[in-house]
Amino acid sequence: MQHNPKKINSELNPNVSVDCVIFGFDLEQLTVLLIDRGEISSAFGPRLALPGNLIYDNENLDMAADRVLDELTGLKNIYLEQVGAFGDPDRIHKESDREWLKSIRAEPEARVITVAYYTLVTMSQYKPQASSFAKNADWVPVNEIKELAFDHFEILQAAKEKLKQKIKIQPIGFNLLPEKFTLSQLHRLYESILEKPLDKRNFRRKIQKLDILTSLREKQRGVPHKPSLLYEFNEEKYQELTQTGFDNFGF
Amino acid sequence: MQHNPKKINSELNPNVSVDCVIFGFDLEQLTVLLIDRGEISSAFGPRLALPGNLIYDNENLDMAADRVLDELTGLKNIYLEQVGAFGDPDRIHKESDREWLKSIRAEPEARVITVAYYTLVTMSQYKPQASSFAKNADWVPVNEIKELAFDHFEILQAAKEKLKQKIKIQPIGFNLLPEKFTLSQLHRLYESILEKPLDKRNFRRKIQKLDILTSLREKQRGVPHKPSLLYEFNEEKYQELTQTGFDNFGF
DNA sequence: ATAGCTTTGTGTCAAATTTACACTATCCAA
DNA sequence: TTGGATAGTGTAAATTTGACACAAAGCTAT
């Protein structure tokens, strides 16, 4: 007798969800794309939450995160990194949380374990999608976020920490910037991720030594001060580097 | 109508398991505690697997990992770090895998997502427990492991990598050593975790500068060569350090 | 008791990296 | 033309890294 794995697998898994910390950079500070759950929940707890959804039984975890991201932003092939699994049995305790879960088709009685991801997107490429919950999404500067629904604030902290560690080891920050950017923007980006000031000259020296920037012959326009040279990220050089193995990017 | 969360929660969650990479150090090399799944599975695939089990609906993930660890080793309060969630829908594909899952009460048709942990234990404190599956557990040097059941080899690689990164940032290695140890043993430990040779004098200089070692007035006994001084890990100093924040331990 | 084996324990110097720090150049706007 | 704002640049001192060799201590076998 032949059994049909499709049938089994194409169902929603009621026990496992993914949540995404979608980082952006508005050229001033690090921001996160959050969902406003609306009035219903506001009387009970924080309105804002990380975007997320239950996984399907036939997709792997990364795919589920990609899907959530795509539904919300329309973006594909985005830098994605797993933060970890979060699963306190009492992580969903408020009535408003149960209501919310019903609205995304989850069984509110069941315990849900969530696998958290963080992603890095270029904010200027983001266009809100038509999907129901995407309408209420908005960017919020990370250091203005004081609380989130469920255990999402905890997840956010963990994601920030992971990002901090990662950027000391690999130049992933470019995923947050437009194609052309200035050294000052890159500088501010590093400062806002690491949450500490970095000496301008030392930063520039260090980043230049990596030899993954291509200086364009183009300047900033329309700024009320000396215009900056624009740079491009040089993917080839970066590939070379990762081959030969590099580690130290410590700020 | 009152519902009883206990009833719901005390059941096994058929969809989520934890697997533990239990690291030990035999004073020569890094080892991992593996389960031998026995003859039944040997015809189909690797006999060796990471210890793991389904989680209960009323325990959080860390607790589940602690439980697995306790059942297997009798050890409590062990250094525990999450590696991440692994959940390819096809991670269980062999008939032998299904048999094995049945034996630990899992539903073999269901997709299982596993949350992987690594733990650091002092090998000399380990005494095999009476539990059924613990009888077939044994230490295997990490660099002799070429394959494991399910996706456990992949998990092992990820755990090794995490450990490598972590030990560059925090002196967690002491969890793998007995209370009293020599600098040479610590040295070999770092080499086997980082999988590269470290200059003896430079290593000693660096580790001493951290100021978290207490030199005992005691020497090694019964070794056929110049006996080494014994050292102790100084937890107080370490706490001080972590407060003031320290990062750089890079080798 | 001695010779030989094995591992411990130690210092220095050159090179590279890190840190701290201030002024001129360029563009826009008034 | 002046004032405001940010871009862009160099150096010197301190610290850290990396490379490298030999005497001391205990055990074993003769």
Side-chain angles (χ1 to χ4, degrees):
Chain A
M1 180 168 164
Q2 200 162 348
H3 87 278
N4 182 352
K6 280 278 170 49
K7 175 136 190 303
I8 293 170
N9 287 340
S10 61
E11 287 167 14
L12 275 174
N13 185 316
N15 297 286
V16 184
S17 63
V18 296
D19 286 314
C20 294
V21 179
I22 302 172
F23 284 115
F25 180 62
D26 64 9
L27 304 186
E28 287 292 336
Q29 51 191 333
L30 197 64
T31 64
V32 176
L33 191 55
L34 296 177
I35 303 281
D36 187 338
R37 299 187 299 152
E39 291 292 340
I40 313 122
S41 68
S42 68
F44 300 94
R47 293 172 58 143
L48 297 178
L50 296 174
N53 210 331
L54 294 175
I55 65 169
Y56 287 94
D57 254 350
N58 66 340
E59 67 187 351
N60 70 32
L61 300 171
D62 289 5
M63 281 164 57
D66 276 333
R67 176 171 55 77
V68 167
L69 194 61
D70 183 21
E71 283 172 9
L72 190 58
T73 66
L75 298 171
K76 300 176 202 295
N77 284 326
I78 292 300
Y79 181 89
L80 194 66
E81 192 86 16
Q82 193 185 113
V83 176
F86 293 76
D88 276 358
D90 60 350
R91 59 186 287 269
I92 291 151
H93 42 269
K94 298 196 194 68
E95 192 53 38
S96 53
D97 291 345
R98 296 188 195 287
E99 291 302 320
W100 166 252
L101 283 178
K102 276 183 195 157
S103 79
I104 61 167
R105 288 163 301 177
E107 171 52 58
E109 297 296 346
R111 172 201 187 164
V112 175
I113 282 163
T114 200
V115 180
Y117 282 82
Y118 75 82
T119 75
L120 307 180
V121 311
T122 302
M123 244 179 101
S124 55
Q125 285 174 4
Y126 163 74
K127 293 288 177 296
Q129 297 297 292
S131 82
S132 59
F133 77 142
K135 290 206 183 79
N136 304 312
D138 224 335
W139 294 102
V140 182
V142 273
N143 47 33
E144 288 175 14
I145 303 172
K146 302 298 181 221
E147 56 173 14
L148 290 173
F150 311 121
D151 54 356
H152 288 185
F153 188 72
E154 189 191 339
I155 292 174
L156 174 63
Q157 299 308 320
K160 278 170 62 179
E161 196 52 43
K162 278 256 154 129
L163 176 56
K164 242 183 230 187
Q165 295 306 330
K166 189 71 173 183
I167 207 171
K168 288 179 182 173
I169 293 178
Q170 280 179 26
I172 54 174
F174 298 98
N175 293 292
L176 288 162
L177 289 167
E179 264 200 42
K180 299 172 181 182
F181 53 87
T182 72
L183 286 186
S184 294
Q185 289 164 354
L186 187 59
H187 182 202
R188 266 178 246 126
L189 174 57
Y190 270 79
E191 287 187 326
S192 54
I193 289 177
L194 296 173
E195 295 181 295
K196 69 179 181 195
L198 302 172
D199 181 86
K200 181 166 57 160
R201 280 180 283 195
N202 293 341
F203 175 81
R204 289 164 107 97
R205 175 166 21 106
K206 206 159 186 174
I207 208 88
Q208 303 261 26
K209 185 142 46 102
L210 283 182
D211 199 28
I212 51 174
L213 294 183
T214 307
S215 155
L216 304 175
R217 301 225 164 272
E218 196 179 344
K219 286 181 183 174
Q220 252 182 335
R221 296 204 43 107
V223 287
H225 56 260
K226 175 173 176 179
S228 172
L229 269 177
L230 289 170
Y231 288 80
E232 241 179 16
F233 174 58
N234 185 338
E235 190 141 7
E236 274 186 59
K237 294 270 188 177
Y238 173 66
Q239 295 301 345
E240 270 178 52
L241 258 191
T242 35
Q243 296 305 324
T244 66
F246 84 110
D247 253 326
N248 223 354
F249 210 57
F251 285 98
Chain B
M1 180 171 160
Q2 197 163 349
H3 87 277
N4 182 352
K6 278 279 169 52
K7 173 138 190 301
I8 293 170
N9 288 339
S10 62
E11 287 167 14
L12 277 174
N13 185 316
N15 296 286
V16 184
S17 63
V18 297
D19 287 314
C20 293
V21 179
I22 301 171
F23 285 115
F25 180 61
D26 63 10
L27 305 187
E28 289 291 335
Q29 51 192 332
L30 197 65
T31 63
V32 176
L33 191 55
L34 296 177
I35 304 280
D36 187 338
R37 299 187 300 151
E39 290 293 339
I40 314 123
S41 69
S42 69
F44 300 93
R47 294 174 57 145
L48 297 178
L50 296 174
N53 210 331
L54 295 175
I55 65 169
Y56 289 93
D57 255 349
N58 65 341
E59 65 186 354
N60 69 31
L61 299 171
D62 289 5
M63 282 165 56
D66 276 334
R67 176 171 55 79
V68 166
L69 195 60
D70 183 21
E71 283 172 8
L72 191 58
T73 67
L75 299 170
K76 301 178 203 296
N77 283 328
I78 293 300
Y79 181 89
L80 194 66
E81 193 86 16
Q82 193 184 114
V83 177
F86 293 76
D88 277 358
D90 59 348
R91 59 185 286 269
I92 290 150
H93 42 268
K94 297 196 197 66
E95 193 52 40
S96 54
D97 290 345
R98 297 188 194 287
E99 290 301 320
W100 167 251
L101 283 178
K102 277 182 195 158
S103 78
I104 61 168
R105 290 164 299 177
E107 171 53 57
E109 296 297 345
R111 173 199 186 165
V112 176
I113 282 164
T114 201
V115 179
Y117 282 82
Y118 75 82
T119 77
L120 306 180
V121 311
T122 302
M123 244 178 104
S124 55
Q125 283 173 4
Y126 165 73
K127 293 289 177 297
Q129 298 297 292
S131 82
S132 59
F133 77 143
K135 290 206 183 79
N136 304 312
D138 223 336
W139 295 102
V140 182
V142 272
N143 47 32
E144 288 175 16
I145 302 171
K146 302 297 180 220
E147 56 172 16
L148 291 174
F150 312 119
D151 55 357
H152 288 185
F153 188 71
E154 188 191 339
I155 292 173
L156 174 63
Q157 300 307 319
K160 279 170 62 180
E161 196 52 43
K162 280 255 156 136
L163 177 55
K164 239 184 236 190
Q165 296 305 331
K166 190 72 173 181
I167 207 171
K168 289 179 184 175
I169 292 178
Q170 281 180 23
I172 54 175
F174 299 97
N175 294 291
L176 289 161
L177 289 167
E179 264 200 40
K180 300 171 181 182
F181 53 85
T182 71
L183 286 186
S184 294
Q185 289 163 355
L186 188 58
H187 183 203
R188 264 176 245 127
L189 173 58
Y190 271 79
E191 287 187 326
S192 54
I193 289 177
L194 296 173
E195 295 182 295
K196 71 179 180 194
L198 302 171
D199 181 85
K200 182 166 54 158
R201 281 182 283 193
N202 294 341
F203 174 81
R204 288 163 108 98
R205 180 181 1 132
K206 205 159 187 176
I207 207 89
Q208 303 261 24
K209 186 145 42 106
L210 282 182
D211 198 29
I212 50 173
L213 295 183
T214 307
S215 156
L216 304 175
R217 300 224 166 273
E218 196 181 343
K219 286 180 183 177
Q220 253 182 334
R221 295 207 41 110
V223 287
H225 56 262
K226 174 174 178 177
S228 173
L229 270 177
L230 290 170
Y231 288 81
E232 240 178 17
F233 174 58
N234 185 338
E235 190 142 5
E236 273 186 61
K237 294 271 189 177
Y238 173 66
Q239 294 301 344
E240 269 179 53
L241 258 191
T242 34
Q243 296 305 323
T244 66
F246 86 110
D247 252 326
N248 220 354
F249 210 57
F251 283 99

